[in-house]
Amino acid sequence: MAAPSIGEDEIGAATRVLRSGMLAAGPAVKEFEEEFAEYCCTEQAIATNNGTSALHATLSCLGICPGNEVIIPDFSFIATATCVSMCGATPVFADVDERTFNISPESVLEAITPGTRAVIGVHLFGQPFQCDPLREICDDHDLFLIEDAAQSHGARYRGKMTGGLGDAACFSFYPTKNMTTGEGGMITTGDRRFADRVRAFINHGQSRKYVHEFLGYNYRMTDIAAAIGSVQLRRLDAFNRKRIENAGRLDRCLGKTAVLAPFRETGVGHVYHQYVTRVTGGCGIGRDNFARELRARGIDTAVHYPTPIHLQPVYQGVSNPVPCPVSERLSNEVLSLPVHPRLTTDQIEYMCSTIEELF
Ligand SMILES: Cc1ncc(COP(=O)(O)O)c(C=O)c1O
């Protein structure tokens, strides 16, 4: 399903850091931050040790606290919600668009209360969410707009890079992502004062050596991870081109079957972090059976995500004010096919011919 592309350049970069003796606070993190900010066309980038800590730091430094509500899509990875809970605030789950799987602006409007402070949109599976309508809603209601860009490195919305569309954005560099540092994260923003607060927050709330202004954490990225990240960033566009090419081949294959290929919104540059199909009732084969048949023929698949967040055990007992029927339906229909850049032409062709034979 996913295989990180690590080559000699990444190994060389990590080895140079190891030989330098500066493993944690050397120059590699600063270099990676500058390169990443330039790539996303944002003024500031702050590296963290993972995407979840990037989200937690962002919400905390925006002042999200107990009593506040943050609206998030019900259909996402759990960290989009738990970062809100880590601040003592309440995640409110909005439904998603049936075609793009992204947060529905109409559902966000329904979810707003006097306690709402922010909206987190997720550029799910590599496809940017509808930033313009959400920006308008957030401006009208005086809310922060945060991008969960964990799955969208290099994706564009109306020509602009994700990472520069909200008040702040959070990336993840987990090994399955479009680029990796092993574990790692990044916060991008155009707000220098917010960035300064985040830099302190991820470093024990420290303003000067051994002066701790507020409660902070150790969420720093290592120099080893950053050195790998700089190399991966240089390769990111090529990785994404290959993902898009693989997705195009899969689209043509699914066009001959009843399985729905991922919908691609106009005006966005999708980077196919995942290639997520829908196996609906009309397909003649259930989603889980389809997955089993593929597995029996040596093809891995995955379900992203099998449970809407509001139904996760961790959120049982929390009553959600907004219905999420689309998210509930999608969790029973979605099936991800491999799309990563290390797939060979033979593997893609084998996957396509196998799928066609099953229909
Ligand atoms: C949408 C989304 N948000 C947040 C995260 C959290 O990132 P990390 O695993 O680096 O903590 C992920 C990672 O899987 C993700 O997919």
Side-chain angles (χ1 to χ4, degrees):
M1 269 308 293
S5 301
I6 297 293
E8 287 307 316
D9 286 353
E10 284 85 348
I11 293 167
T15 307
R16 272 193 296 282
V17 172
L18 288 170
R19 291 218 164 95
S20 77
M22 294 288 284
L23 306 191
V29 169
K30 189 164 182 292
E31 258 170 51
F32 182 37
E33 288 178 340
E34 286 170 2
E35 290 159 0
F36 202 83
E38 192 182 335
Y39 183 82
C40 294
C41 307
T42 59
E43 201 200 298
Q44 302 281 325
I46 306 107
T48 60
N49 57 346
N50 59 61
T52 309
S53 59
L55 283 162
H56 180 208
T58 295
L59 292 179
S60 287
C61 293
L62 290 173
I64 304 299
C65 61
N68 295 164
E69 291 171 10
V70 177
I71 300 172
I72 68 151
D74 189 44
F75 195 63
S76 181
F77 182 64
I78 191 71
T80 312
T82 49
C83 61
V84 179
S85 308
M86 287 175 196
C87 297
T90 305
V92 175
F93 308 109
D95 208 1
V96 295
D97 180 278
E98 175 153 16
R99 293 185 309 174
T100 63
F101 311 148
N102 273 326
I103 192 163
S104 148
E106 294 75 29
S107 187
V108 168
L109 270 176
E110 245 187 281
I112 292 173
T113 73
T116 310
R117 290 284 313 281
V119 177
I120 305 178
V122 181
H123 303 301
L124 199 67
F125 308 139
Q127 171 146 257
F129 62 80
Q130 290 190 57
C131 297
D132 286 349
L134 277 176
R135 180 80 266 174
E136 214 176 301
I137 292 170
C138 288
D139 288 349
D140 286 351
H141 293 83
D142 199 18
L143 309 175
F144 295 116
L145 177 61
I146 298 147
E147 297 168 71
D148 181 337
Q151 306 185 354
S152 73
H153 320 69
R156 286 169 190 266
Y157 176 81
R158 300 195 194 293
K160 288 191 188 150
M161 301 300 285
T162 57
L165 300 160
D167 295 298
C170 301
F171 290 84
S172 162
F173 302 123
Y174 186 72
T176 56
K177 300 295 193 265
N178 291 40
M179 60 172 283
T180 186
T181 60
E183 293 271 11
M186 191 74 82
I187 300 161
T188 53
T189 181
D191 183 336
R192 175 179 280 275
R193 281 185 57 194
F194 166 75
D196 287 346
R197 187 162 177 90
V198 170
R199 284 184 206 286
F201 183 89
I202 66 164
N203 190 21
H204 303 287
Q206 180 172 272
S207 55
R208 281 174 293 127
K209 198 155 177 70
Y210 299 130
V211 178
H212 303 278
E213 303 280 351
F214 57 89
L215 176 65
Y217 294 77
N218 177 357
Y219 282 168
R220 297 179 309 249
M221 179 179 272
T222 65
D223 257 39
I224 304 163
I228 295 169
S230 287
V231 178
Q232 288 269 299
L233 184 60
R234 288 196 285 279
R235 301 176 64 196
L236 175 61
D237 288 344
F239 290 155
N240 285 343
R241 277 196 295 278
K242 190 77 178 98
R243 285 177 181 274
I244 292 163
E245 185 188 314
N246 290 345
R249 178 67 188 96
L250 289 168
D251 282 350
R252 290 196 294 284
C253 159
L254 294 186
K256 300 174 195 160
T257 75
V259 174
L260 297 178
F263 174 79
R264 185 162 164 188
E265 184 117 68
T266 50
V268 308
H270 195 326
V271 291
Y272 292 97
H273 167 58
Q274 297 292 353
Y275 185 89
V276 182
T277 72
R278 278 176 71 195
V279 189
T280 57
C283 284
I285 183 170
R287 189 262 314 269
D288 295 343
N289 271 341
F290 183 42
R292 258 192 296 277
E293 294 294 341
L294 291 174
R295 180 83 283 264
R297 291 161 177 79
I299 299 167
D300 259 353
T301 61
V303 174
H304 300 107
Y305 295 95
T307 309
I309 300 182
H310 78 275
L311 294 178
Q312 286 287 354
V314 61
Y315 289 118
Q316 283 321 288
V318 177
S319 79
N320 196 49
V322 180
C324 296
V326 178
S327 164
E328 287 173 17
R329 192 163 66 248
L330 289 176
S331 63
N332 290 314
E333 293 179 348
V334 287
L335 189 70
S336 307
L337 301 176
V339 74
H340 62 83
R342 286 187 60 193
L343 288 173
T344 64
T345 308
D346 283 353
Q347 284 173 323
I348 291 262
E349 289 309 320
Y350 174 68
M351 184 157 48
C352 290
S353 59
T354 307
I355 290 171
E356 285 170 31
E357 273 166 26
L358 283 172
F359 281 89

